[in-house]
Amino acid sequence: ETGVTQTPRHLVMGMTNKKSLKCEQHLGHNAMYWYKQSAKKPLELMFVYNFKEQTENNSVPSRFSPECPNSSHLFLHLHTLQPEDSALYLCASSLGPGLAYEQYFGPGTRLTVT
Amino acid sequence: AQSVTQLGSHVSVSEGALVLLRCNYSSSVPPYLFWYVQYPNQGLQLLLKYTSAATLVKGINGFEAEFKKSETSFHLTKPSAHMSDAAEYFCAVSFNAGGTSYGKLTFGQGTILTVHP
C-alpha cells in the first residue's frame, strides 16, 4: 500500500448504529486530519492530530469521536449519527503541522446515514 | 476572518482552449496557497503550492498559478485543456491562526471544470 488509504470506501448505517472509519498513511508523516465533504459546501476540517496528540477540534459534535493510536493510523468512531452527517469523509496527512506542508488525501469514505 | 473565494462554481472549455480558474483570498498575513484537484470518487490530489518563493508556480499536468499580492489572487491556468482535466478544483489557503503554526487549510467552494471535445 502507498499513500493514504481509507476503509471502508462506502458505509451505510442506521442512526442507532456504531461504526468506525479507518485511515492509514504510508508516507512517514506526523500529522493527520479528518475532513467532511458535503454536497455544495466547502471541505470542513474536523480534527487535527500532530504526533498522536489532538491539536484541533473544529466544534465537531460528540457523536464523532477520533482516535489516533500512532502517527500512521487514524480512526473516526461514529455513533447515533443524523441524516445530515451523510457525506464523504476524507483523511489526510502531512509531514508536519506547519503551514507550508501540503496535505495528502485518501480516497474517502462515502457515508450514508439512514 | 481569513477566507477563500473561487469565482465560478462551473467552468466549461473546449479541448485545446485555455483553462482559467479563479481564486481570491483574504488574509492579514502572508498566506501559503494550494490548488488541489478531485476526480470523481477520489480524494484530493495536490496540483501545486505557493510558499513565498517564486510568484509563478508550476505544478503537475501542465498547470500553473501566479500569486498576485496586490490582487490577493492565485488563479490557476493551463494553456491547453485536455479531456482528462475534467474534474473539480479546489483552492486552499493556510494561515498562521492565532499564533499557532499548524497547517489548518481553508478551502474554497470548488470549481467544476468541464472539457468539451
Side-chain angles (χ1 to χ4, degrees):
Chain A
E1 294 280 11
T2 59
V4 181
T5 58
Q6 291 186 242
T7 55
R9 293 293 309 275
H10 300 271
L11 178 62
V12 179
M13 59 185 291
M15 295 169 60
T16 58
N17 291 157
K18 290 184 179 181
K19 296 287 184 183
S20 295
L21 309 185
K22 178 183 177 181
C23 174
E24 183 174 2
Q25 59 93 2
H26 309 267
L27 300 168
H29 289 169
N30 299 304
M32 297 189 77
Y33 312 78
W34 279 116
Y35 287 88
K36 177 183 180 181
Q37 186 177 30
S38 306
K40 300 182 181 179
K41 293 178 69 175
L43 274 80
E44 302 172 65
L45 177 66
M46 300 174 72
F47 302 103
V48 180
Y49 278 83
N50 180 31
F51 289 97
K52 304 187 300 179
E53 299 299 319
Q54 187 180 123
T55 56
E56 172 83 3
N57 177 337
N58 199 22
S59 303
V60 180
S62 60
R63 57 186 183 270
F64 295 90
S65 175
E67 178 189 2
C68 189
N70 54 61
S71 293
S72 298
H73 295 85
L74 185 63
F75 296 88
L76 189 62
H77 303 298
L78 316 171
H79 64 97
T80 59
L81 294 190
Q82 304 298 311
E84 59 265 29
D85 297 324
S86 298
L88 181 67
Y89 288 86
L90 292 165
C91 173
S93 70
S94 62
L95 183 60
L99 297 174
Y101 291 117
E102 61 267 32
Q103 295 179 19
Y104 292 80
F105 285 79
T109 295
R110 175 70 63 186
L111 174 66
T112 302
V113 181
T114 61
Chain B
Q2 295 93 345
S3 65
V4 181
T5 302
Q6 289 183 240
L7 300 176
S9 58
H10 290 80
V11 170
S12 181
V13 300
S14 298
E15 190 173 21
L18 171 72
V19 175
L20 171 60
L21 305 181
R22 301 176 187 274
C23 174
N24 287 88
Y25 68 92
S26 66
S27 172
S28 57
V29 297
Y32 293 90
L33 296 154
F34 306 81
W35 274 101
Y36 285 86
V37 60
Q38 186 177 31
Y39 298 100
N41 301 314
Q42 295 187 27
L44 278 68
Q45 179 184 4
L46 180 71
L47 278 176
L48 49 81
K49 68 176 184 179
Y50 167 77
T51 57
S52 75
T55 56
L56 182 62
V57 182
K58 295 188 183 298
I60 63 172
N61 301 339
F63 285 93
E64 61 182 36
E66 185 173 9
F67 172 69
K68 291 186 177 181
K69 184 178 179 180
S70 60
E71 299 177 8
T72 61
S73 68
F74 190 58
H75 301 333
L76 182 70
T77 60
K78 182 174 181 178
S80 177
H82 191 272
M83 296 295 290
S84 61
D85 294 326
E88 188 163 15
Y89 292 79
F90 293 91
C91 180
V93 186
S94 183
F95 304 96
N96 189 341
T100 62
S101 62
Y102 62 80
K104 183 175 180 177
L105 281 177
T106 299
F107 284 85
Q109 295 266 12
T111 298
I112 296 174
L113 175 66
T114 303
V115 182
H116 297 287

